[in-house]
Amino acid sequence: MKHYPNQTQSWGVLGIAILSAIVFSFVMISLQKTAGQEVAFFVYYVLSMGAAFALVHFLRKKVSGVERYPLKSFSIAIVPTLLLALLGIQLGITMPLADLIPMPEALKEVFRHLGEMNGILSFLTIAIAAPILEEFIFRGIVLEGLLRNYSPRKAILLSSFLFGLVHLNPWQFISAMAIGCLAGWVYYRSRNLWLPILIHFANNSLAFSSSFFIDNDLMIDKPLAELYGGQFNYYISIGIALIAVLIGIWLLNKKLIRFHWSTDIENKQEEFNTLSDE
């Protein structure tokens, strides 16, 4: 049995996603003047990432013969623990690291512009379409295949690295890489694609809603320590956030029922051998 993708093929998935974004960019450009920014962005994103998912899904089906995705019910009691780990990672790791990288003025203008897009279509794009399509690609296909071919550590790190790269800038790369590691580990432990989608939804929803409570210009222009009210508050906040990460991961480790990947592979192989004998 071949499991798609392997390490080389996973880089091809990244290339497909980036190429699709470039190919469909004309849609956003052509719609901006007639339909507006938010409509153009929504249509562009759904078409570009949807096309990438459709192609990668086709390739997986062709190579591995797999069509389905592991979408199972889960206890709502796990949601607070997922949020605790997510908030801890964002406040204690990704935001401080991203704050260390100077941002060019041209890119600041791009992020300011994105921050001003706060209508319902922007929410549907950022908080609904992105978590579903990106998680199906990078966890449901890429990580699933890598876990079948390599060690869990290598599979989670590589899929998270590629997930970071698809965002095409170092600031989002840091956040996507870290959140990807959390989502990947949760997927490895549970093999339930709903949980990474939930993590991604919560992360993007918090980012989207923050523009309603925090001045977007301050978030972009001011150092993080200044927003926290000084270096002392800054380091205390990071320390508390890191403790939250440790507690969240510890609780998740206890709550999640480990999926036995080796057993699943052996069962599929036995099924394949039985069909071959018949």
Side-chain angles (χ1 to χ4, degrees), residues 72-104:
K72 301 178 288 187
S73 61
F74 60 91
S75 172
I76 198 70
I78 201 173
V79 174
T81 310
L82 289 173
L83 292 177
L84 178 67
L86 170 65
L87 286 172
I89 289 173
Q90 285 287 39
L91 297 175
I93 299 175
T94 63
M95 290 176 63
L97 288 178
D99 190 57
L100 298 175
I101 307 174
M103 184 180 293

Side-chain angles (χ1 to χ4, degrees), residues 107-125:
L107 197 55
K108 286 183 179 180
E109 287 301 317
V110 172
F111 280 109
R112 285 193 185 96
H113 182 65
L114 290 174
E116 293 170 357
M117 296 171 57
N118 50 20
I120 184 63
L121 279 179
S122 292
F123 177 79
L124 290 175
T125 306

Side-chain angles (χ1 to χ4, degrees), residues 173-188:
F173 168 84
I174 293 173
S175 178
M177 174 79 182
I179 299 306
C181 285
L182 173 64
W185 177 74
V186 168
Y187 182 79
Y188 163 66

Side-chain angles (χ1 to χ4, degrees), residues 175-230:
S175 178
M177 174 79 182
I179 299 306
C181 285
L182 173 64
W185 177 74
V186 168
Y187 182 79
Y188 163 66
R189 287 299 304 266
S190 65
R191 198 171 182 261
N192 186 355
L193 193 55
W194 281 127
L195 295 180
I197 290 174
L198 176 62
I199 292 171
H200 201 150
F201 165 78
N203 179 74
N204 288 16
S205 296
L206 288 171
F208 178 84
S209 60
S210 65
S211 62
F212 294 100
F213 304 101
I214 304 173
D215 189 287
N216 195 44
D217 290 335
L218 289 178
M219 286 291 294
I220 294 173
D221 294 325
K222 297 292 183 180
L224 198 57
E226 189 172 332
L227 294 176
Y228 275 94

